[in-house]
Amino acid sequence: MASAAEPLTIGLLGAGSVGAQVARTLVEERDLISARVGAPVRLIGVAVRDVEAPRDWRIPGELLTTDAESLVDQADLVIELLGGLEPAGALIDRALRRGAGVVTGNKALLAVRGGELAATAAETGAPLHFEASVGGAIPILRPIQESLSGDRITKVMGIVNGTTNYILDQMDTTGAAFEDALSEAQRLGYAEADPTADVEGHDAAAKAAILGALAFHAPFTIDDVHCEGITAVTGADIEAAAASGYVIKLLAIAEKFDGEGAVLRVHPTLLPRTHPLASVRGAFNAVFVVAENAGELMFYGQGAGGVPTSSAVLGDLVSAARLLRQGTTVLEPSEPAEIVPALPIEKARTQYYIDMEVADEEGVIAEIARVFADHHVSIEAMRQPGIVSVDGEVDTDHDNGAVLQVVTHPAQEKSLAETVATLKALEVVRAVTSVLRVEIEQ
């Protein structure tokens, strides 16, 4: 590491939308960042794949390099914004093993190797910060790690993917079809050309693993997260939810069940419109935390974009740089007070919204109600919005069948899933057209 009289050297890996903004700030606002650190800082290089590629900010040519390993070996602090598992993982490991500080926003890597990298950082005393990996500009990880460290967190639930929130919000507020809302998200830069990681829930699942690991002091990975995306959500689902006072959001949920473990899940969810998360619009993100003493807390802000996310990266940079300058040794993580294993989603306790097409005949509702009773699932609400004809229009002749919508009381996921399976086998149930989980206010 550099001596106290020398600038602290910074190596930046990656110059995409976030990296370019970080580079701009480190060059144009060097005095401000140095003042915040309490010592001079200097960006010594930016590792990229192609030095000629166009960027959001024109990085001085003398800073650009394609030799990432050499840059890592020279820097006191490495900022990794490459994304992906490799070479990012090897470069972070290389930096930590030589005692360099690391700041990263790589949720995919952390959701797979976060525990391993944290152990390496603890072994060498190198700071490893990753606030930008969840929620963009929203400060959420440090409050969980530090501000709530004396409390017991029981649940973390959030909208952590701006692309899917924008799509679902457009479907809800404008009636847009999924494909049209996705195209608009791509036009605005909220969605990638290949939106699979977003719309299939993989991005949110990586963030759920990180949030759960920090909240419950457990080595969770993305493999511990049950994941469902939003591609199966239809306009009919959105309309039915609205008619019942709900809005559909893609939620990342990590919930602890005392004496058992924790369930980590990502899926489309019906939220009452009175819930704080229901009002999160567009590409914004929000994370809702429930703790025994603090109660309910919500963190809200811009969850994506180069400029907002660079704020979290630079905040981590200042924090890590202060530790390096002070010569502070990063303490080994304390032993968790309890072992919190990952549980399958069948152990979750939730509610179901079930939309069915049923025969319009006497005794149907009684037969369906018996199925719920047989599986020890009680019904909170049952609604029959109209009669479905062959062409999808409302048929007042009652000849072709009825739509039945049911919201259950809370029950174990296993019982709810078995109830749906039994309903599908009933002769009077023509189709179970939609099954969505419901989250109620705490």
Side-chain angles (χ1 to χ4, degrees):
M1 297 297 101
S3 70
E6 299 173 345
L8 185 142
T9 56
I10 299 171
L12 174 61
L13 309 180
S17 60
V18 180
Q21 290 299 327
V22 170
R24 181 195 65 77
T25 303
L26 289 173
V27 172
E28 295 184 351
E29 305 288 345
R30 178 181 172 181
D31 291 345
L32 173 64
I33 299 300
S34 296
R36 298 284 168 81
V37 171
V41 299
R42 179 166 67 91
L43 179 64
I44 60 170
V46 182
V48 295
R49 293 184 180 88
D50 179 5
V51 296
E52 301 297 333
R55 295 183 171 87
D56 292 352
W57 181 74
R58 187 176 179 83
I59 299 171
E62 66 271 17
L63 289 176
L64 295 172
T65 178
T66 57
D67 189 353
E69 290 187 352
S70 177
L71 181 59
V72 167
D73 290 343
Q74 297 175 58
D76 298 323
L77 194 152
V78 173
I79 303 173
E80 184 277 311
L81 297 172
L82 296 170
L85 301 184
E86 294 299 344
L91 292 169
I92 290 177
D93 184 75
R94 187 185 186 103
L96 293 173
R97 290 192 181 281
R98 54 177 292 270
V102 171
V103 171
T104 179
N106 194 332
K107 65 261 183 183
L109 177 63
L110 292 167
V112 174
R113 295 180 55 192
E116 171 194 333
L117 295 174
T120 301
E123 180 184 334
T124 63
L128 171 63
H129 293 183
F130 45 93
E131 185 66 66
S133 65
V134 177
I138 304 171
I140 178 61
L141 301 188
R142 193 167 292 130
I144 288 176
Q145 288 178 293
E146 299 176 10
S147 303
L148 295 172
S149 60
D151 208 336
R152 191 185 295 271
I153 295 173
T154 57
K155 187 173 185 177
V156 180
M157 178 170 69
I159 297 166
V160 294
N161 183 272
T163 301
T164 52
N165 199 57
Y166 177 84
I167 291 170
L168 292 172
D169 185 47
Q170 288 293 296
M171 293 174 72
D172 177 57
T173 58
T174 72
F178 174 87
E179 294 78 9
D180 294 336
L182 172 57
S183 295
E184 183 66 5
Q186 290 171 321
R187 187 187 72 79
L188 293 171
Y190 296 149
E192 302 289 343
D194 179 1
T196 303
D198 293 322
V199 299
E200 295 294 350
H202 305 316
D203 175 82
K207 295 170 182 177
I210 295 168
L211 288 168
L214 295 181
F216 306 138
H217 309 281
F220 299 134
T221 72
I222 196 169
D223 291 336
D224 297 315
V225 183
H226 174 87
C227 180
E228 300 173 27
I230 66 168
T231 54
V233 177
T234 66
D237 291 332
I238 298 287
E239 291 176 9
S244 299
Y246 293 99
V247 63
I248 298 176
K249 300 289 188 181
L250 183 73
L251 295 186
I253 302 170
E255 185 172 14
K256 187 167 70 171
F257 298 91
D258 283 341
E260 296 184 71
V263 177
L264 281 63
R265 50 194 168 104
V266 168
H267 49 69
T269 309
L270 272 74
L271 279 173
R273 289 189 181 267
T274 53
H275 193 287
L277 288 175
S279 61
V280 178
R281 303 285 303 279
F284 276 71
N285 283 190
V287 180
F288 193 78
V289 180
V290 182
E292 286 188 358
N293 297 323
E296 299 173 355
L297 307 167
M298 193 168 91
F299 302 79
Y300 168 84
Q302 296 192 62
V307 175
T309 305
S310 71
S311 171
V313 172
L314 291 162
D316 273 352
L317 181 152
V318 170
S319 178
R322 285 173 176 169
L323 290 174
L324 290 171
R325 271 306 181 195
Q326 294 166 3
T328 304
T329 300
V330 179
L331 298 177
E332 266 193 63
S334 58
E335 289 295 320
E338 58 180 323
I339 304 299
V340 183
L343 301 174
I345 192 171
E346 289 77 16
K347 293 288 188 179
R349 187 168 178 81
T350 184
Q351 293 177 253
Y352 270 16
Y353 161 86
I354 306 165
D355 196 313
M356 296 172 277
E357 293 180 12
V358 302
D360 183 29
E361 59 188 53
E362 187 177 345
V364 169
I365 290 179
E367 188 170 353
I368 288 172
R370 276 196 298 273
V371 171
F372 284 88
D374 289 345
H375 290 89
H376 306 290
V377 175
S378 61
I379 296 173
E380 180 180 280
M382 184 179 291
R383 181 171 176 265
Q384 189 174 345
I387 307 303
V388 180
S389 67
V390 175
D391 62 3
E393 298 297 324
V394 172
D395 180 3
T396 56
D397 293 333
H398 296 202
D399 291 333
N400 294 297
V403 172
L404 195 62
Q405 297 166 346
V406 175
V407 176
T408 73
H409 279 292
Q412 196 169 70
E413 172 82 16
K414 183 175 184 292
S415 298
L416 291 165
E418 289 174 349
T419 301
V420 171
T422 305
L423 288 171
K424 288 180 177 179
L426 287 182
E427 188 174 337
V428 297
V429 176
R430 296 179 177 178
V432 175
T433 55
S434 183
V435 177
L436 292 168
R437 296 174 184 86
V438 181
E439 285 290 326
I440 60 173
E441 293 181 90
Q442 298 294 315

